[in-house]
Amino acid sequence: MKTTVFAIALSTLAVSTLAQTSAVPTADVQIKTAVLAAPADKQAGAMVYGYSDKNEFVVLRKGTNELVCLADDPAQKGLSVSCYHRDLEPFMKRGRELKQQGKTTKEIQEIREQEAKSKKLVMPTHPSSLFSYTAKDENYTAATGEVKDGYLRYVVYIPYATAESTGLPLKPEAPGMPWIMDPGTHRAHIMINPPASTTAK
């Protein structure tokens, strides 16, 4: 579970260096699908990053609230979008930079941990949310942004939190039960993975 969840998040957040396998959807379609990860009352005001027709990672829409959303990478199969609190932007941006430099997942984790401890990387001092929305390739039409049977998961970052400081278990004991992942590190976070049937849209 841990490897799978991180791989999904990292593929969502990474700026792809691979050649495009299909045309980049229009900005409107990218925005439409990116904000599917956000709560309904946050969607209209969220800032959105996405891809230009030259496959450059750009700001598609400026925001008016606290959420930042990432559009789907057109070079990857299926749909994978996310939205997170703006105070997580330094953490997310650094991850994108290191991924673009060719760093591995392990290297990215280690570098950000060191930078967070030295205060070079500023992490939020309060709980900060991330929402991830995914769908299988056969359930996503990139040209129109139509999606069916998508899956929404929730993450709350609490840097350096532990099972002891939160009272949370290190793994879920029931479907949808919150648990803490990467405890005691800069990227410690609460994971909530609801049963798939409850998040489809």
Side-chain angles (χ1 to χ4, degrees):
M1 172 63 76
K2 180 175 180 178
T3 301
T4 301
V5 169
F6 185 76
I8 290 172
L10 194 56
S11 67
T12 301
L13 303 176
V15 179
S16 176
T17 57
L18 299 175
Q20 262 182 261
T21 57
S22 59
V24 176
T26 65
D28 286 345
V29 167
Q30 291 185 70
I31 292 169
K32 171 185 174 181
T33 53
V35 300
L36 288 174
D41 64 344
K42 304 289 186 182
Q43 292 181 359
M47 174 184 175
V48 181
Y49 282 115
Y51 298 84
S52 70
D53 55 7
K54 296 181 180 179
N55 204 31
E56 298 169 327
F57 193 68
V58 297
V59 174
L60 296 179
R61 187 180 77 184
K62 294 182 178 180
T64 58
N65 64 25
E66 70 279 10
L67 282 194
V68 177
C69 296
L70 301 179
D72 181 65
D73 181 348
Q76 304 297 321
K77 289 186 176 182
L79 176 72
S80 182
V81 296
S82 62
C83 297
Y84 53 83
H85 192 279
R86 62 189 172 203
D87 288 353
L88 284 167
E89 178 61 7
F91 169 74
M92 299 298 179
K93 181 180 179 181
R94 187 61 175 141
R96 294 193 292 267
E97 291 171 348
L98 293 171
K99 179 68 176 180
Q100 194 170 32
Q101 292 172 19
K103 302 296 185 183
T104 65
T105 297
K106 185 175 185 293
E107 289 173 331
I108 291 172
Q109 290 178 330
E110 291 175 347
I111 291 170
R112 287 196 296 195
E113 179 73 18
Q114 293 170 358
E115 293 181 348
K117 286 181 177 178
S118 69
K119 306 300 181 182
K120 180 179 179 181
L121 175 61
V122 179
M123 296 297 295
T125 57
H126 52 79
S128 302
S129 298
L130 178 146
F131 308 92
S132 174
Y133 184 73
T134 57
K136 295 180 180 179
D137 193 46
E138 62 267 26
N139 292 334
Y140 171 51
T141 305
T144 62
E146 296 304 313
V147 186
K148 64 178 181 179
D149 296 330
Y151 180 70
L152 184 64
R153 74 180 76 238
Y154 316 95
V155 179
V156 181
Y157 281 88
I158 310 180
Y160 304 107
T162 64
E164 292 76 17
S165 69
T166 61
L168 292 169
L170 296 175
K171 61 181 180 180
E173 297 176 3
M177 180 180 183
W179 56 288
I180 191 162
M181 185 172 170
D182 295 327
T185 72
H186 75 289
R187 63 187 305 273
H189 55 281
I190 299 169
M191 288 294 308
I192 304 172
N193 299 314
S197 61
T198 65
T199 70
K201 61 178 179 180

